[in-house]
Amino acid sequence: AAATLLLDDALTKMIHRDGSKGSKHSKRLGLLPRGSHSCFGDFPADLAPQAWSVMKKEGAAALARSASAPGLSAPALSKSSAAQLTRATEGAMHVPFAGLGGRSRGLPAPPARAGSTRRRPLPPSEFRKFYDRGDLPIQVFHGAVGGKIAWKVDIEKLDYHHYLPIFFDGAREQEDPYRFLAVQGTYDMLEKGGPKILPVVPQLIIPIKTAMNTRSPVVMCTMLKIIQALVTSADMIGEALVPYYRQILPVFNIFKNNNLDLGDGVEFSQRKRLNLGDLIMETLEMLETYGGEDAFINIKYMIPTYESCIHA
């Protein structure tokens, strides 16, 4: 799975040669965290002002308030909408007859987009910090066949309470080697964890929720595949996830129908398992299958349009 992400990145670079889909462009928009200036950390601001003024500028601004919010003044709206508002109605959007003074109310500004599917900035993970300072017992295996990790200790001897949440937190990274090591390391630990995984489930909810809340399709697809591997990795994990559906399922409900209507065309993302709508449905069905008798009613509470794959 981690090696597939590397191949997809290489293919994206070949298709979009202008760099519009690369990590550098996302960093300029403030969607990806910027790394350190060097392997020893950031340069002092007084000794290297160019590094701070150009390379580490502030990212994109936060999400704007809705135009229908009470008390929203005209400068916060678009220029065309603000020009149509009179001085008497500034600061009193959508409040009828507020200080008109005989003047025309003009045209009300349209409500802004809610932005529920808009991509959020990716917060830096704990995995990045631990890996940069050499606290993780892993390294990339540079062999003839890629896609492997060289573990410095046996996976069965690891403290899962400490390491597994760190690897889950790093699964939202979009830069290598952080993403490759975190994703592949997560699969390796889930494969050989056995009964050591179940007690750690409550610590995995925050990393899962953080990754899903980024609204990034690539990050969400990666985390959905990890959730499927988590549910099937050991007994009783599906039941242990049921109390946390309220934390992890709201984003599922937003992107549940995220599919393209291509007619008789071919959706190649289905072959690569990168179709977000299909992955969400697969994950929900696995959560219901392995979640016990209370799984369906809890999924139905958070996602009203979900239909059971077990109950006819």
Side-chain angles (χ1 to χ4, degrees):
T4 304
L5 295 174
L6 296 177
L7 296 176
D8 288 338
D9 281 351
L11 179 61
T12 301
K13 290 181 180 179
M14 288 187 289
I15 296 176
H16 304 278
R17 296 181 179 272
D18 57 350
S20 59
K21 299 293 184 179
S23 59
K24 290 185 178 180
H25 181 68
S26 298
K27 288 183 178 181
R28 295 190 190 100
L29 297 178
L31 298 176
L32 292 182
R34 297 179 183 270
S36 301
H37 291 145
S38 68
C39 59
F40 301 103
D42 291 332
F43 299 135
D46 54 341
L47 298 180
Q50 183 73 7
W52 287 94
S53 61
V54 177
M55 298 305 297
K56 288 217 169 186
K57 293 189 296 184
E58 292 296 330
L63 294 177
R65 294 177 60 192
S66 173
S68 59
L72 185 63
S73 59
L77 305 173
S78 62
K79 294 181 179 180
S80 59
S81 301
Q84 297 173 355
L85 294 177
T86 61
R87 295 180 180 179
T89 57
E90 288 186 6
M93 279 293 299
H94 296 184
V95 180
F97 309 107
L100 294 179
R103 300 178 182 177
S104 173
R105 287 185 294 179
L107 299 176
R113 296 183 60 182
S116 61
T117 59
R118 187 182 304 169
R119 186 178 172 187
R120 270 45 169 186
L122 194 72
S125 65
E126 291 292 322
F127 182 89
R128 177 186 292 249
K129 180 178 68 175
F130 279 91
Y131 180 76
D132 286 341
R133 68 187 189 188
D135 289 345
L136 299 177
I138 55 173
Q139 62 185 20
V140 179
F141 177 75
H142 297 283
V145 180
K148 292 184 179 180
I149 292 180
W151 290 87
K152 300 178 183 179
V153 296
D154 293 335
I155 302 179
E156 293 83 358
K157 298 180 180 179
L158 291 175
D159 181 8
Y160 271 59
H161 282 277
H162 176 68
Y163 285 107
L164 191 58
I166 294 176
F167 278 85
F168 262 76
D169 196 48
R172 68 171 182 264
E173 288 285 351
Q174 289 296 286
E175 286 187 279
D176 295 309
Y178 307 110
R179 180 183 62 178
F180 169 75
L181 291 173
V183 174
Q184 189 61 44
T186 300
Y187 281 110
D188 291 349
M189 295 185 71
L190 292 178
E191 181 182 357
K192 299 183 179 180
K196 299 172 67 175
I197 301 175
L198 181 60
V200 195
V201 168
Q203 298 176 248
L204 307 179
I205 303 304
I206 296 299
I208 293 175
K209 181 181 178 181
T210 305
M212 298 302 294
N213 282 336
T214 60
R215 309 293 209 275
S216 173
V218 178
V219 177
M220 293 175 64
C221 288
T222 302
M223 185 53 65
L224 287 170
K225 296 174 185 177
I226 292 178
I227 292 175
Q228 295 180 11
L230 172 66
V231 170
T232 58
S233 60
D235 297 333
M236 301 300 294
I237 291 183
E239 290 88 336
L241 288 173
V242 173
Y244 304 101
Y245 283 174
R246 294 194 179 190
Q247 281 75 36
I248 63 179
L249 292 188
V251 182
F252 284 48
N253 191 28
I254 296 175
F255 292 91
K256 176 175 175 289
N257 297 320
N258 193 335
N259 285 301
L260 297 177
D261 186 5
L262 300 179
D264 60 349
V266 179
E267 174 63 286
F268 290 98
S269 63
Q270 292 177 335
R271 178 177 61 86
K272 300 180 180 179
R273 298 193 70 214
L274 294 176
N275 186 284
L276 192 54
D278 290 349
L279 272 178
I280 288 177
M281 284 303 302
E282 289 179 17
T283 307
L284 290 175
E285 291 175 357
M286 292 185 68
L287 290 176
E288 182 189 359
T289 303
Y290 292 89
E293 58 183 8
D294 296 331
F296 172 69
I297 188 63
N298 284 275
I299 295 176
K300 190 72 172 180
Y301 181 80
M302 298 304 301
I303 306 177
T305 58
Y306 175 75
E307 296 294 337
S308 175
C309 64
I310 299 177
H311 304 287

